[in-house]
Amino acid sequence: MAVAGGKIDYQGGRWSVPDRPIIPFIEGDGTGPDIWRASQRVFDAAVAKAFAGSRAIVWKEVLAGEKAFKATGNWLPDETLAVIREHRVAIKGPLTTPVGGGMRSLNVALRQILDLYACIRPVRWFAGVPAPVREPQKLDVVIFRENIEDVYAGIEFEAGSDKADKLRDFLIDQLGVKTLRQGSAIGVKPMSKFGSQRLVAKAIQYAIDHHRPSVTLVHKGNIQKFTEGAFRDWGYQLAKESFAGDTVTEAEGVKGKVVIKDRIADAMFQQVLLRPDEYSVIATSNLNGDYLSDACAAQVGGLGMAPGANVGDGYAVFEATHGTAPKYAGQDKVNPGSVILSGVMMFEEIGWGAAGKAIVAGIEGALAAKKVTYDLARQMPGATEVPTSTFADAIIAHLK
Ligand SMILES: NC(=O)c1ccc[n+]([C@@H]2O[C@H](COP(=O)([O-])OP(=O)(O)OC[C@H]3O[C@@H](n4cnc5c(N)ncnc54)[C@H](O)[C@@H]3O)[C@@H](O)[C@H]2O)c1
């Protein structure tokens, strides 16, 4: 029997979540359906376990990608966007990005329509997962990457084009730029105080709420003073003005408060390898965050288990960070960990953290039992390779 659900709302900076929230999902292309089936079972079991049957999710499928194209002739139907907007919180599997053609990217469309300005990527190691470093347990960071500005704003002019040449002339004639090779391609990197500060605010608030010891502003301000350098300055300014009671600078170092510090991006790549336990929450600009989150994920065993979320004010879309792995589609073979851990983030975000905790314990239990999908099994001595669905069973069996 279908259960009636309610809508999640957002008022005064807080989620209001009914006991039976309707959550739209996109199962995804390629291996997406295999992964989604397994993930949904884990989510439902975790909610039932954590809340003793008093809460449940009412899942609502929305279409995107190949499935949408087959059903509607449209890769991204307007209705999908409307339903996600109406219900505010959604979760998705990986989608095929068709090469060429004028197809809209779902992520870009959602980011723009819902203003999902923070890309959040927690990166931690799970015991038993094969990793390339000696002490992967020392890395436990949550990366807040600005999601809209920076070189991703898409302001670029092709080498030799009329526009690039005009812009070059303008820069030289009007703005005093001295050297700019003729025929250069030119890209523009916009970063605003508004965009930077709201991202840093989300990171600091997260650190406070989750009792994290520090927020590190990662930037390339030694070279790009007015963009990356300003990101750092605006970050410190915001911490001082809006979070004075909860934060201190590195020099002040008061116990019990969130330390705000900064590191130059290139040094940060060394730091996460050499002194990973000195970092906790990281707030950074778009391009730095792109590189840093993949590098950190690789350090603890790769993208197969790395979750992600795109979050704005009152809207959030949780997703796998890997692609559709099409060669394994329909084989019940790949690791559902990334979508499942995205669900953990979703539960934390909507205040259902107990369900998230249950799942983390379930994953730890499944890993300890060494019943894992092929990607992990092939590198874990003594492990048994199991299908996606059996890995989900093992997680469910270890929910706590
Ligand atoms: N967020 C997204 O929706 C997203 C992200 C990246 C790529 N894509 C799309 O996915 C398609 C395939 O891209 P790709 O091959 O570059 O990347 P991919 O992530 O699908 O695959 C890269 C490698 O990782 C493996 N892999 C991926 N997910 C796995 C999992 N859950 N468990 C075990 N192994 C896994 C694959 O088998 C492959 O060897 C393309 O259409 C691409 O555009 C979508």
Side-chain angles (χ1 to χ4, degrees):
M1 192 186 73
V3 187
K7 283 184 200 162
I8 293 179
D9 202 1
Y10 187 81
Q11 300 282 340
R14 301 243 160 251
W15 295 105
S16 121
V17 182
D19 283 340
R20 294 182 184 280
I22 301 168
I23 298 190
F25 70 92
I26 295 163
E27 65 174 14
D29 297 325
T31 50
D34 292 337
I35 291 175
W36 179 256
R37 255 191 310 278
S39 305
Q40 190 180 328
R41 282 199 295 121
V42 171
F43 298 151
D44 289 340
V47 170
K49 175 124 194 160
F51 306 113
S54 65
R55 291 176 171 171
I57 291 174
V58 178
W59 299 105
K60 182 178 178 66
E61 181 168 14
V62 289
L63 300 183
E66 279 164 6
K67 194 168 179 181
F69 188 71
K70 279 189 195 133
T72 69
N74 191 340
W75 290 91
L76 179 54
D78 287 339
E79 192 188 337
T80 295
L81 295 172
V83 170
I84 293 176
R85 197 210 307 252
E86 187 184 343
H87 295 87
R88 293 179 174 274
V89 172
I91 183 163
K92 67 177 269 283
L95 292 173
T96 307
T97 318
V99 179
M103 129 88 194
R104 282 189 296 176
S105 145
L106 175 75
N107 285 335
V108 174
L110 285 173
R111 236 173 260 171
Q112 285 166 352
I113 291 171
L114 306 180
D115 198 19
L116 305 173
Y117 59 84
C119 175
I120 308 176
R121 299 265 303 264
V123 186
R124 58 162 285 201
W125 180 69
F126 282 91
V129 172
V133 299
R134 273 186 287 129
E135 298 180 301
Q137 73 280 4
K138 285 193 170 175
L139 186 74
D140 178 4
V141 293
V142 183
I143 300 171
F144 283 72
R145 164 188 168 197
E146 203 284 325
N147 218 4
I148 290 173
E149 303 191 333
D150 195 352
V151 291
Y152 288 73
I155 312 171
E156 280 203 304
F157 302 97
E158 196 179 356
S161 68
D162 220 28
K163 287 180 178 172
D165 291 344
K166 264 196 194 135
L167 184 53
R168 174 179 178 273
D169 292 346
F170 179 75
L171 291 168
I172 290 172
D173 297 343
Q174 308 284 322
L175 299 184
V177 169
K178 296 220 166 47
T179 52
L180 216 178
R181 194 183 303 279
Q182 199 154 22
S184 293
I186 304 179
V188 178
K189 176 184 172 87
M191 286 174 62
S192 70
K193 181 175 179 178
F194 173 79
S196 303
Q197 288 195 329
R198 68 178 179 168
L199 182 275
V200 175
K202 246 197 189 342
I204 295 177
Q205 191 61 55
Y206 179 93
I208 295 168
D209 292 345
H210 294 81
H211 310 290
R212 290 267 181 168
S214 65
V215 175
T216 305
L217 307 168
V218 176
H219 59 88
K220 190 67 190 161
N222 55 330
I223 300 299
Q224 300 165 46
K225 297 189 191 317
F226 299 133
T227 49
E228 297 276 329
F231 178 86
R232 174 202 58 203
D233 295 345
W234 289 326
Y236 277 123
Q237 183 192 10
L238 174 96
K240 211 167 150 195
E241 288 175 4
S242 304
F243 295 95
D246 293 304
T247 60
V248 288
T249 62
E250 206 167 13
E252 289 162 347
V254 181
K255 265 213 154 66
K257 299 204 176 187
V258 178
V259 175
I260 310 294
K261 49 191 176 182
D262 77 281
R263 296 289 182 272
I264 290 173
D266 43 272
M268 189 64 183
F269 277 84
Q270 297 189 37
Q271 292 282 301
V272 290
L273 277 169
L274 301 175
R275 311 165 82 96
D277 46 357
E278 292 181 11
Y279 299 94
S280 181
V281 175
I282 292 168
T284 190
S285 52
N286 207 336
L287 185 60
N288 292 331
D290 189 10
Y291 299 152
L292 193 60
S293 42
D294 274 21
C296 287
Q299 195 169 322
V300 295
L303 290 167
M305 300 268 292
N310 294 295
V311 182
D313 293 325
Y315 296 98
V317 178
F318 299 83
E319 64 172 348
T321 52
H322 57 71
T324 58
K327 68 180 172 193
Y328 298 125
Q331 294 180 26
D332 196 23
K333 188 175 169 83
V334 297
N335 190 343
S338 179
V339 168
I340 291 174
L341 287 166
S342 304
V344 170
M345 295 180 74
M346 179 178 80
F347 289 131
E348 282 175 1
E349 179 71 30
I350 65 171
W352 289 20
K357 278 208 180 86
I359 295 174
V360 170
I363 291 176
E364 286 169 347
L367 291 171
K370 298 200 169 190
K371 284 189 175 170
V372 293
T373 46
Y374 83 98
D375 52 313
L376 298 175
R378 66 185 170 190
Q379 297 178 71
M380 270 168 86
T384 313
E385 180 185 327
V386 298
T388 312
S389 51
T390 312
F391 185 48
D393 294 338
I395 296 172
I396 292 170
H398 290 94
L399 290 173
K400 253 192 229 140

